[in-house]
Amino acid sequence: MKGVHETLQQYVSARNVSASSEAPQLTQQVSSNASLPSSAPPSTTAKPASTDIIINNVDLMVDPCPQLSALPIIDNLTQDEFISKLTDGCRYDRLIKPITDKPLTVEIQIDMKHIESADHLQFKSHILVHLYYTDSRLNYSKISPERGEIMGEESLRDKIWVPHIIISNERESGMMGLEGKDVIVQIKPSGEIRYSYRMTTTFYCWMNLQKFPFDYQICRIQWVSWAYNITNLKLKWKLPEPYRVAANLHLTEFILEDKWCHESNVTASFYLGVLSGNSSAVDFVFKLRREVGYYIMDYFLPSMLLVCMSWVTFWLQADASAPRVTLGTATMLSFITLNGGLTKNLPKFSYIKASEIWFLGCATFIFCSMAEFAFVNVIWRRRKKVELKKNSSKHILKGAITPSLARKQLRKVESMNSLYKTRSCSSLDGENAKKNSQQNYLTVHSFPTNLSVPTITTQSQDDLVGSAESVTTIQIPEDGSRPPTPPAWTTMTPQEVANWIDKKSRVVFPVAFIIFNVLYWSFVYAL
């Protein structure tokens, strides 16, 4: 109605100009007719009545809300006045999307300014978003041909229809701005609109941490149409440059290796009536690789040094219980504390991570070094010597672990040798020996041949073996051959065995740890 009143004012002012031009003529006519009789009516009394009739007729013929194309050329209006006329509520409804034969196409373009890790499953980013679409109701090329693009901020955004686009995997989002929202709306004469805003968003990125901290993650930001389904609104990337990432973008914990974008559809969760159905979406996907420099310097190298520190006990004497126990427990506690600082901020996943494999391996080496001290300390405190069949690693370990078995074998061989020495080979009767081959007897010259002689038994002299195990039955060979030559048995003191185990551990533990490192780092980088 404001436009109608302005049109009427213009018409009335035009009539006033014409009336003022006719005023001298009317004055002259009135003065010339002054001599006429008073009974004669003046000829100008009908003029005001005709003017009122014309104004009323114009008021009836004016359209209270003309179409935008029916308005006269209004280039002389200010931008605020022009926007008010362009978006008048009688002809423009900002709650309704532009009417199109096909789904309205909204193109999106993003400019990522900053990204950082907010948590192990969340990222925070600052993004400048541009939305491009066409609203034919705002085509003003005919009513204001000399006017260029219209640009406004939040107040202009509130007067026109803008698409409602959300980030589906966001935790929280917000418009950025110091004194107001950082929003810009540009309208071209053809009705093309660019709606730009600056936002900060914290979004979820579901990570796979099986190879942590040598992992890489693929994250995405998904924009989805909120109010309209795919039959009403279609989201697309603005080609040929759909996205732009700041050249100086640097993440503190990750390296941005790759990035790409694609379009998709999102299935509706529930039936919501007319607007239910699949929604259009666009995805910005990027690949992040974790920086391992921090973890190498603050976790892996210190843990290697702690494992090597646990080997210092191999150079201490076996009976030095206090320093060896203190060193072993302090090393284990330090390593557990070091690992706790790494895992305290990690989410609790059920699967085993690469960092946990490293922790278990290093903890096993530290524990084995403590167990080695307990073993050599027990051997050191023995009183009897260790009898060895051979001076080799196998027999030293066997004699150190089971010393009673070695002594049993030694006593058995000595008993056999003493028995053979008491036998007289010259007094044996070969024929009688063959007849009594089913039993082994000891034959003496002065005894008759049919004399039954019991078998000879010997009693072990080992004071460590019980009496029930000390009786051994020796069978004399039938062919009269000499017993086998006993092996050259040696002995070592318990202190010598303990020192020998420590010396071997100085080599075995480092070699085993090197093999573990080769396997672990091959798994990390090769698989």
Side-chain angles (χ1 to χ4, degrees):
M1 297 301 296
K2 181 178 179 181
V4 175
H5 290 305
E6 291 177 356
T7 305
L8 290 176
Q9 290 177 358
Q10 293 177 1
Y11 179 80
V12 171
S13 61
R15 295 294 300 171
N16 292 334
V17 171
S18 61
S20 61
S21 62
E22 294 177 356
Q25 298 178 1
L26 293 175
T27 304
Q28 184 178 2
Q29 185 176 359
V30 169
S31 59
S32 62
N33 294 332
S35 58
L36 294 177
S38 59
S39 60
S43 60
T44 60
T45 56
K47 291 291 182 179
S50 61
T51 304
D52 295 337
I53 293 174
I54 292 174
I55 293 175
N56 292 333
N57 291 336
V58 171
D59 192 15
L60 294 175
M61 290 186 298
V62 171
D63 188 358
C65 187
Q67 295 294 327
L68 193 63
S69 58
L71 293 178
I73 297 176
I74 46 179
D75 283 331
N76 57 341
L77 297 180
T78 64
Q79 179 168 304
D80 186 37
E81 295 175 345
F82 182 76
I83 290 297
S84 298
K85 189 177 295 295
L86 193 65
T87 59
D88 195 294
C90 67
R91 68 175 67 89
Y92 187 89
D93 190 354
R94 64 177 298 271
L95 300 180
I96 300 177
K97 78 175 188 66
I99 305 301
T100 54
D101 297 335
K102 298 180 180 180
L104 177 65
T105 300
V106 178
E107 296 180 324
I108 185 171
Q109 186 179 42
I110 63 171
D111 187 359
M112 183 173 289
K113 300 295 185 181
H114 173 75
I115 186 172
E116 65 182 7
S117 177
D119 196 356
H120 285 280
L121 295 177
Q122 299 175 13
F123 287 89
K124 185 178 181 180
S125 180
H126 298 171
I127 308 174
L128 178 60
V129 182
H130 306 280
L131 300 178
Y132 300 85
Y133 61 99
T134 301
D135 192 345
S136 58
R137 297 173 295 179
L138 300 179
N139 188 339
Y140 60 88
S141 57
K142 294 182 179 179
I143 62 173
S144 184
E146 297 182 1
R147 190 180 301 272
E149 293 184 357
I150 299 175
M151 181 177 295
E153 297 184 1
E154 191 174 3
S155 58
L156 179 57
R157 192 273 309 270
D158 295 337
K159 293 181 180 180
I160 65 174
W161 179 89
V162 293
H164 190 177
I165 309 299
I166 65 171
I167 298 178
S168 61
N169 59 325
E170 71 177 352
R171 181 178 179 269
E172 58 181 1
S173 295
M175 292 284 187
M176 301 180 66
L178 182 60
E179 297 181 355
K181 303 298 183 182
D182 293 343
V183 175
I184 294 180
V185 177
Q186 290 179 306
I187 305 176
K188 293 184 178 181
S190 60
E192 298 178 6
I193 300 174
R194 188 184 76 173
Y195 171 42
S196 304
Y197 57 91
R198 207 162 61 97
M199 66 177 298
T200 175
T201 178
T202 302
F203 57 94
Y204 293 101
C205 178
W206 305 112
M207 299 184 180
N208 184 0
L209 299 177
Q210 288 184 345
K211 294 185 68 176
F212 174 85
F214 307 95
D215 57 324
Y216 69 90
Q217 306 297 334
I218 296 179
C219 302
R220 68 172 183 168
I221 307 177
Q222 186 180 62
W223 282 269
V224 183
S225 173
W226 174 250
Y228 298 97
N229 58 18
I230 196 172
T231 60
N232 295 309
L233 190 144
K234 178 69 175 178
L235 284 177
K236 291 185 178 181
W237 286 105
K238 178 70 173 178
L239 300 178
E241 190 178 13
Y243 58 85
R244 181 180 297 174
V245 179
N248 58 350
L249 181 65
H250 179 71
L251 287 79
T252 57
E253 192 176 352
F254 292 90
I255 299 176
L256 184 61
E257 283 196 345
D258 197 6
K259 50 191 177 297
W260 64 93
C261 62
H262 61 84
E263 302 170 4
S264 61
N265 297 328
V266 177
T267 305
S269 301
F270 299 98
Y271 180 76
L272 301 177
V274 179
L275 297 180
S276 64
N278 296 340
S279 299
S280 180
V282 291
D283 300 273
F284 175 68
V285 189
F286 50 94
K287 180 180 179 181
L288 300 175
R289 182 172 296 277
R290 195 182 301 273
E291 288 273 17
V292 298
Y294 166 78
Y295 298 97
I296 293 294
M297 297 300 298
D298 285 27
Y299 179 68
F300 287 97
L301 286 181
S303 59
M304 290 181 183
L305 295 178
L306 288 175
V307 173
C308 295
M309 187 184 299
S310 67
W311 301 338
V312 176
T313 60
F314 303 148
W315 276 265
L316 299 178
Q317 196 168 345
D319 62 342
S321 301
R324 295 188 72 161
V325 170
T326 303
L327 181 60
T329 54
T331 304
M332 179 63 79
L333 293 176
S334 299
F335 181 64
I336 293 175
T337 305
L338 178 66
N339 183 76
L342 175 70
T343 59
K344 66 179 180 180
N345 294 325
L346 287 178
K348 305 302 184 289
F349 288 106
S350 59
Y351 50 77
I352 298 178
K353 299 179 284 292
S355 60
E356 295 174 344
I357 295 176
W358 177 264
F359 169 75
L360 293 176
C362 294
T364 300
F365 276 96
I366 297 175
F367 174 78
C368 289
S369 65
M370 298 176 63
E372 189 271 349
F373 156 68
F375 179 64
V376 298
N377 186 261
V378 170
I379 296 175
W380 181 278
R381 289 185 287 106
R382 287 178 182 173
R383 296 182 179 180
K384 295 186 178 182
K385 295 182 178 181
V386 178
E387 297 168 343
L388 308 174
K389 185 177 181 180
K390 291 183 181 180
N391 192 6
S392 62
S393 301
K394 175 183 177 181
H395 292 87
I396 292 176
L397 291 176
K398 185 177 180 182
I401 296 173
T402 58
S404 60
L405 295 179
R407 285 196 291 271
K408 282 183 179 181
Q409 294 179 359
L410 178 61
R411 299 305 181 189
K412 183 176 180 180
V413 174
E414 289 178 350
S415 298
M416 291 178 64
N417 292 336
S418 62
L419 177 61
Y420 274 102
K421 290 179 181 179
T422 60
R423 177 185 178 186
S424 178
C425 298
S426 60
S427 61
L428 292 177
D429 187 354
E431 295 180 358
N432 293 334
K434 292 180 180 180
K435 292 179 181 180
N436 300 317
S437 59
Q438 69 277 10
Q439 296 181 351
N440 293 327
Y441 294 126
L442 181 61
T443 305
V444 184
H445 278 290
S446 59
F447 291 168
T449 57
N450 57 356
L451 181 62
S452 298
V453 180
T455 59
I456 300 173
T457 60
T458 62
Q459 185 172 4
S460 175
Q461 301 298 325
D462 193 351
D463 54 352
L464 299 178
V465 182
S467 60
E469 299 178 356
S470 61
V471 179
T472 305
T473 302
I474 306 299
Q475 299 292 335
I476 301 175
E478 298 177 0
D479 55 357
S481 61
R482 295 187 62 83
T485 304
W489 286 71
T490 60
T491 59
M492 293 180 65
T493 62
Q495 291 74 21
E496 292 176 345
V497 175
N499 291 332
W500 179 88
I501 294 175
D502 278 340
K503 290 180 181 179
K504 293 298 181 181
S505 299
R506 298 171 191 172
V507 178
V508 173
F509 274 75
V511 171
F513 190 65
I514 291 174
I515 295 174
F516 168 72
N517 275 267
V518 171
L519 296 177
Y520 179 81
W521 297 107
S522 299
F523 162 77
V524 166
Y525 287 104
L527 299 181

